[in-house]
């Protein structure tokens, strides 16, 4: 498992290139909080940014992504 996922996208990619074993990544609470606070300040679109950050983790090579946005994604059918 790689954590924090957002700060280590390059590490996720390197591990993925070196191994075919399942790779997990954890989007830590600080990453979640930054998005929530920026959205509350109307600085960003929370839905778009949360999708992009999790998408970046997936593109880097993670098979499993642990995120505090999981309930929101499940509710929205993402």
């Amino acid at each position: 498992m790689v954590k924090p996922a957002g700060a280590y996208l390059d590490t996720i990619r390197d591990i993925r290139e070196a191994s075919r074993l399942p790779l997990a990544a954890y989007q830590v609470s600080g990453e979640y909080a930054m998005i929530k606070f920026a959205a509350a300040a109307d600085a960003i679109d929370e839905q778009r940014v949360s999708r992009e950050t999790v998408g970046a983790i997936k593109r880097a090579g993670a098979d499993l992504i642990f995120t505090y946005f999981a309930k929101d994604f499940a509710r929205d059918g993402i």
Side-chain angles (χ1 to χ4, degrees):
M1 178 180 293
V2 176
K3 76 179 233 189
Y8 291 104
L9 295 175
D10 55 338
T11 302
I12 294 169
R13 183 202 62 228
D14 292 346
I15 294 169
R16 173 51 55 223
E17 289 176 357
S19 174
R20 287 282 135 221
L21 294 173
L23 176 56
Y26 178 41
Q27 187 179 40
V28 297
S29 59
E31 294 169 320
Y32 173 81
M34 287 188 300
I35 293 169
K36 285 292 197 179
F37 284 120
D42 290 325
I44 62 168
D45 179 328
E46 179 181 330
Q47 188 177 35
R48 290 180 69 192
V49 171
S50 62
R51 286 181 183 181
E52 177 57 32
T53 58
V54 171
I57 297 166
K58 180 67 177 169
R59 285 191 305 274
D63 299 302
L64 302 165
I65 301 169
F66 296 92
T67 177
Y68 291 93
F69 289 109
K71 285 185 179 181
D72 296 335
F73 292 163
R75 181 192 63 235
D76 297 340
I78 298 171

